């Protein structure tokens, strides 16, 4: 068998069809929806008289326009002072009710930043393809996912078909070894990487972050690094699955249970680049 990178494995596991020009159709396991990029997508479904292809693959939460002021927030949607923000959150509620999509509404204790809610609830899981109408969806790559942001028309396309038209990126490995000094944070690490490769250094690539520094890093730290793969010009940032990844999901509300947990773990443990896998670009720090 040909050796594969983590990105290759995730891509191949979700490839539905590939054309001669390199355009591909990939299956999407999870779409996370929020109030800013979903209204036009839902409107497109209504105009075409379409229903979502797979309801349980889509979960919504308001996050961009939710007040941080506790007094405002406790009043719910009506407490949002800005009219545009209030309309967007109310519209998300209406659309999710109309299409029977699960939503963590403004006063649901599970509501939060969409890229935190996914992992926190076990909606994001290793091996998944995850999309959201937000550029920093790469955050979920910290869990061994193929995750990236999409545009509003693509949000509609995923709702309608649970698939997405894509072209495969090149592979980049950013390997950071050694031990971090006192007070050096994951954000410092990713800023150092961007300083080395430039803000366009990751253009056209899916970046895998490897090496001792990332093996030692917390899951939250890995999320910070993958989040900022976007600032390095890449669409995708990811970290291979290890025991730390697996333990993070144990007992999460939407994570597999019982026998299904054991099957999931057996698959998750394969989500690492093969030792002799070839990368198009390698950066050593």
């Amino acid at each position: 068998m040909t050796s594969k990178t983590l990105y290759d494995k995730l891509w191949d596991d979700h490839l539905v069809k590939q054309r001669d020009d390199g355009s591909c159709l990939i299956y999407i396991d999870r779409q996370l929806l929020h109030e800013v990029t979903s209204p036009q997508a839902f409107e497109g479904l209504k105009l075409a008289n379409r229903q979502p292809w797979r309801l349980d693959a889509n979960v919504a939460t308001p996050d961009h326009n939710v007040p941080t002021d506790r007094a405002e927030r406790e009043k719910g949607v009506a407490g949002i002072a800005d009219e545009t923000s209030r309309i967007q959150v109310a519209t998300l509620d209406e659309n999710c009710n109309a299409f029977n999509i699960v939503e963590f509404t403004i006063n649901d204790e599970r509501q939060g930043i969409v890229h935190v809610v996914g992992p926190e609830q076990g909606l994001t899981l290793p091996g998944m393809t995850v999309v959201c109408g937000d550029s920093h969806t790469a955050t979920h790559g910290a869990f061994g996912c193929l995750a990236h942001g999409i545009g509003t028309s693509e949000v509609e396309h995923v709702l309608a078909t649970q698939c997405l038209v894509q072209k495969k990126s090149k592979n980049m490995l950013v390997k950071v070894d050694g031990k971090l000094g006192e007070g050096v944070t994951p954000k410092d690490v990713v800023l150092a990487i961007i300083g080395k490769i430039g803000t366009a250094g990751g253009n056209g690539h899916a970046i895998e972050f490897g090496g001792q520094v990332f093996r030692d890093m917390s899951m939250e730290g890995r999320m910070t690094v993958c989040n900022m793969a976007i600032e390095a010009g890449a669409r995708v940032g990811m970290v291979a699955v290890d025991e730390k990844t697996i333990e993070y999901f144990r007992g999460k509300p939407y994570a597999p249970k019982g026998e299904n947990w054991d099957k999931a773990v057996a698959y998750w443990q394969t989500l690492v680049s093969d030792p002799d896998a070839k990368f198009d670009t390698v950066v050593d720090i």
Side-chain angles (χ1 to χ4, degrees):
M1 290 178 65
T2 305
S3 296
K4 294 181 179 181
T5 66
L6 171 59
Y7 176 62
D8 292 337
K9 291 179 181 182
L10 293 170
W11 181 272
D12 291 348
D13 282 351
H14 293 86
L15 182 63
V16 177
K17 186 178 181 65
Q18 181 169 342
R19 290 183 172 172
D20 293 339
D21 66 357
S23 60
C24 301
L25 198 64
I26 61 168
Y27 186 80
I28 302 302
D29 295 308
R30 178 75 67 207
Q31 176 163 230
L32 301 168
L33 301 156
H34 61 74
E35 74 276 23
V36 178
T37 53
S38 67
Q40 301 93 328
F42 281 115
E43 185 67 15
L45 289 185
K46 291 173 187 173
L47 291 172
N49 196 28
R50 287 195 179 105
Q51 290 294 316
W53 181 259
R54 184 180 157 216
L55 282 174
D56 64 355
N58 298 275
V59 178
T61 188
D63 73 342
H64 284 63
N65 290 307
V66 174
T68 54
D69 181 88
R70 186 176 293 277
E72 276 189 54
R73 184 191 176 95
E74 286 177 350
K75 295 175 186 175
V77 177
I80 301 175
D82 180 78
E83 183 180 9
T84 301
S85 296
R86 186 170 63 254
I87 291 170
Q88 285 191 327
V89 174
T91 302
L92 180 67
D93 291 350
E94 292 164 7
N95 283 325
C96 288
N97 286 333
F99 287 95
N100 295 314
I101 287 174
V102 171
E103 180 194 4
F104 302 153
T105 56
I106 189 169
N107 284 328
D108 189 311
E109 65 178 7
R110 299 169 295 179
Q111 182 277 331
I113 296 167
V114 68
H115 307 311
V116 176
V117 166
E120 188 175 70
Q121 295 297 320
L123 291 162
T124 299
L125 292 169
M128 279 186 167
T129 42
V130 179
V131 296
C132 175
D134 185 287
S135 61
H136 289 98
T137 306
T139 304
H140 305 264
F143 303 96
C145 295
L146 174 51
H148 55 77
I150 57 176
T152 296
S153 60
E154 292 175 308
V155 173
E156 179 187 348
H157 193 273
V158 174
L159 281 168
T161 69
Q162 212 54 46
C163 289
L164 192 62
V165 177
Q166 290 281 284
K167 282 197 173 182
K168 192 177 181 185
S169 299
K170 293 187 286 187
N171 280 283
M172 176 185 286
L173 174 63
V174 175
K175 191 177 177 189
V176 186
D177 283 308
K179 295 285 184 180
L180 298 184
E182 185 177 353
V184 181
T185 70
K187 188 166 185 178
D188 294 318
V189 173
V190 71
L191 287 172
I193 292 166
I194 295 168
K196 179 162 184 172
I197 70 173
T199 54
N203 281 8
H205 291 80
I207 300 178
E208 179 179 343
F209 297 101
Q212 189 62 44
V213 164
F214 298 110
R215 288 194 293 273
D216 292 343
M217 201 175 278
S218 68
M219 294 310 302
E220 292 77 11
R222 296 176 188 181
M223 289 171 72
T224 297
V225 172
C226 290
N227 175 290
M228 290 187 64
I230 305 308
E231 277 68 38
R235 197 178 187 195
V236 171
M238 59 184 70
V239 179
V241 172
D242 59 12
E243 286 305 311
K244 198 176 290 185
T245 319
I246 293 167
E247 283 306 309
Y248 177 90
F249 287 107
R250 191 181 295 276
K252 291 281 192 279
Y254 285 85
K257 304 289 189 296
E259 184 180 340
N260 286 334
W261 170 262
D262 296 333
K263 290 178 180 178
V265 169
Y267 171 59
W268 296 346
Q269 288 171 335
T270 70
L271 298 176
V272 298
S273 290
D274 296 328
D276 52 349
K278 302 298 182 187
F279 290 84
D280 298 287
T281 306
V282 178
V283 178
D284 274 304
I285 299 179

